[in-house]
Amino acid sequence: MVLSKTVSGSDDSINSTFASRYVRTSLPRFKMPENSIPKEAAYQIINDELMLDGNPRLNLASFVTTWMEPECDKLMMAAINKNYVDMDEYPVTTELQNRCVNMIAHLFNAPLGDSETAVGVGTVGSSEAIMLAGLAFKRKWQNKRKAEGKPCDKPNIVTGANVQVCWEKFARYFEVELKEVKLCEGYYVMDPVKAVEMVDENTICVAAILGSTLNGEFEDVKLLNDLLVEKNKQTGWDTPIHVDAASGGFIAPFLDPELEWDFRLPLVKSINVSGHKYGLVYAGIGWVIWRNKEDLPEELIFHINYLGADQPTFTLNFSKGSSQVIAQYYQLIRLGYEGYRNVMENCRENMIVLKEGLEKTGRFNIVSKVDGVPLVAFSLKDNSQHNEFEISDLLRRFGWIVPAYTMPPDAQHVTVLRVVIREDFSRTFAERLVLDIEKVLHELDALPARVSAKLAVACEDKKEECNGNVSLILKKTALETQREITMAWRKFVQDKKKTNGVC
Amino acid sequence: MVLSKTTLESDVSIHSTFASRYVRTSLPRYKMPENSTPKEAAYQIINDELMLDGNPRLNLASFVTTWMEPECDKLMMASINKNYVDMDEYPVTTELQNRCVNMIANLFNAPLGDSEAAVGVGTVGSSEAIMLAGLAFKRKWQNKRKAEGKPYDNPNIVTGANVQVCWKKFARYFEVELKEVKLREGYYVMDPDKAVEMVDENTICVAAILGSTLNGEFEDVKRLNDLLVEKNKQTGWDTAIHVDAASGGFIAPFLYPELEWDFRLPLVKSINVSGHKYGLVYAGIGWAIWRSKEDLPEELIFHINYLGTDQPTFTLNFSKGSNQVIAQYYQLIRLGYEGYKNVMENCRENMIVLSEQLEKTGRFNIVSKDNGVPLVAFSLKDNRPYNEFQISDMLRRFGWIVPAYTMPPDAQHVTVLRVVIREDFSRTLAERLVLDIEKVLHDLDSLPAKISVNLAVESKEKNGCCNGRVVVKKTALETQREITTAWMKLVMEKKTNGVC
């Protein structure tokens, strides 16, 4: 009989964690260690190293939820060893997923009867949801073309250049051409008129975004729908719309219920939303809803039996945790319409406070609109002395993570800073952030030559490392040129100064 | 200024949860409720309903981990609000993922220098890992064919019919033809000779499985490699191998280190493994490892900047939780080689105990092998008058979930029951399971007419509604059952009504 050792060395049970030898040895990075270590030591070592990660709640770059009620944490921990895909073994969890799908479908005004079940599925995020929706469109279009005896080897999809990267992934991985409607300064979302112009017989769908990543704006889905209905009448192509409501799906129904963007528009065939953004659940859950069964080709659904009983599956992922689905259901029934509306209204209020605070400094243009996702995107009125990337870097010193980035083509010369207002971003935070931004501006003003030059160089080095192979390369050129000119001028001034400052 | 209501009604703070009116109202199923519910009530209601789910630890159908140490649970809870994809904001978490990739690549003997970083990525499971690996193969093959000026519109992939469903998904979603090597009775994995015969110029890769889902067997990757090397010499097609080591990847290096199945074989270009199976982490983590940078086409990697700085991304999923990655790193350093070896040896021992005791009942054939994934797949020596599906149903009464299923073509007439031995399946549980199986056999033996007929009818209805590749298999079985049922009915008419 094999006797495994339960303790590896003699000093384990005696020494406290920090007294033991484990905190003296270098942590393995490339190969698994030969021996086991006690669990307390393993826990402590990893926990301590993770202290150097950013604080999720101060991460103002992300839309993804960073706080949930303790009761929900309890539910999630209890469900952490349930494999979501075992429908037969965990029927209640599966039922909860179905209830969420139904509730979200009704939230989006899907044309369903009173007890009719909706067509949809829970995913790991909007990326998977978008890929599934795109697959469904591609397959439907291929079947239609084959029935018509026409070629089906060149599908394309029409979107704005402001799409999130997962659309570009979908296009590249599933071999669909991406036809992007370019942006222009002052208009940072997809123009419905231009989009409809780009539609041709190979277009599998037009994708509109409710809540653009760049500035939170809602695209005009109704106008797109109306124009596309007209075009479909003329051409007979029957091109549908998909709405990427990753952020906006849980905002528009509560803040702006009159806005028509969902299944109320006849050409909208599928919608995706991220449960982990304004669905108020931790990272790892998204939802995709189809209008009805016809919009999801049956051939894409698999039926398996080797976990015991028949289960239909149409997701890219198979095994995954159940906690987020349960958390989503918790939120839906805990908050209800009333609760979600309150949360969104609070976010909106705090966004307005932040926006007004920033406007009052007199140094910023506000690029985001008040309607849309509660976020504030702002750029400097004058970025010749120092730019938004430097503000972003200096804000880190106070603990804030505020990203700065450039717009996609054709507005690459515009740089913005973006603060996302999540549920847990209170008014106190908003006021503190404005204070800290003012401090940063003051610092940059006081030491323009020295500090900004060094930072500009540091930023430039960092940017050069990025070998982007998508639209980003073009954007950097304009910025780099600007910086080179600035730097040359600074060097010139610097040579005339004598002292070394602290940097 | 908007004043939200902090309490809805007067009874909220006074009544205990089960005294409040919330447990009297029907829970919403189709539409969101108008009003909020207090959090204690919401928690209690959901918690109670979930009690009716199966117990994960008694779920013997699944390979996926169902128990971890409390220290690890603590770590996972603490990182539950970290979005894994924010590499810039959570550099340590990203670093931990890279360390895991390095460790696993070294475990698989990837040809790396001492401090050379491995090429690989963490995924949500083996499904995503396989799709990424398949994408890489497809793109490489397309580029090669374009360079040769040959058509590239008909890619195919050669696998055994015993593949897990995600290979079929990959084939259907990414428009690659799936050429399956059929199984036969007694040989339930891919035959390397037949596989190599099926390889043609459009084959993007051959996929071998280390740890077949059906009976846990390891396929002979070395033989496949050697045969394919020969064929490549003759044809010049340079066909590569992918090893789906979803289960076996964390077993073979510890129990069978001499077995050559990984990057030691020159044609193996990528491997996937499920961290959430024998990597001993909860559901939601897998790993895809490539041999070297050349095997992962650069054009599939995206660089984005709108979270603040440049980050390369090559996964199908974007935002997801970080806790499983941290848990995987915890397990790798907490257990080390020694710990994993001990766990796998314990699993193997318990598997042998279960296997021997089932053989001792004299009623079963053991279909699984001793070498391979620690699981026991067994079928009845004589599956009249009742069959494996009925045993599976009856075992549920005791709390056990033991699945029964039929083999893929061409062995559809074989039905097996399968028990997966996980880390937390101790010898006590093994002995209890055998006792309960014996009880079930006894019950089924003593009331053959009544219970088996009803169960046979039920099973037939349940199995009749399932469509997909399973339909063909059922025909032989259904015929068998119809005959049995007819005979039972005849006998029954002569007996009295018993309790059912």
Side-chain angles (χ1 to χ4, degrees), chain A residues 428-499:
Chain A
T428 330
F429 272 5
E431 291 172 347
R432 251 201 120 71
L433 177 61
V434 175
L435 278 175
D436 287 345
I437 289 180
E438 285 175 341
K439 279 188 211 154
V440 165
L441 286 174
H442 184 76
E443 269 192 49
L444 285 174
D445 284 339
L447 300 172
R450 184 83 41 184
V451 176
S452 358
K454 282 215 164 78
L455 280 177
V457 173
C459 289
E460 194 177 308
D461 286 342
K462 204 162 56 161
K463 297 289 173 285
E464 267 160 15
E465 280 169 44
C466 119
N467 39 343
N469 49 355
V470 268
S471 55
L472 298 175
I473 285 189
L474 286 169
K475 296 176 213 153
K476 294 290 186 287
T477 315
L479 196 60
E480 278 176 340
T481 322
Q482 183 187 343
R483 284 227 186 92
E484 277 170 25
I485 297 170
T486 318
M487 260 187 49
W489 179 80
R490 301 234 183 278
K491 272 215 179 102
F492 178 68
V493 174
Q494 229 188 51
D495 287 340
K496 302 197 164 174
K497 294 203 173 175
K498 293 278 171 62
T499 55

Side-chain angles (χ1 to χ4, degrees), chain A residues 67-78 282, chain B residues 77 80:
Chain A
W67 179 85
M68 290 190 86
E69 282 172 335
E71 281 73 8
C72 194
D73 285 352
K74 250 201 292 182
L75 275 175
M76 292 182 83
M77 250 348 260
Y282 290 130
Chain B
M77 230 16 242
I80 205 165

Side-chain angles (χ1 to χ4, degrees), chain B residues 466-481:
Chain B
C466 114
N467 50 349
R469 65 178 170 89
V470 184
V471 175
V472 175
K473 297 177 214 151
K474 292 290 182 287
T475 316
L477 198 59
E478 275 176 338
T479 322
Q480 186 187 340
R481 286 224 187 95

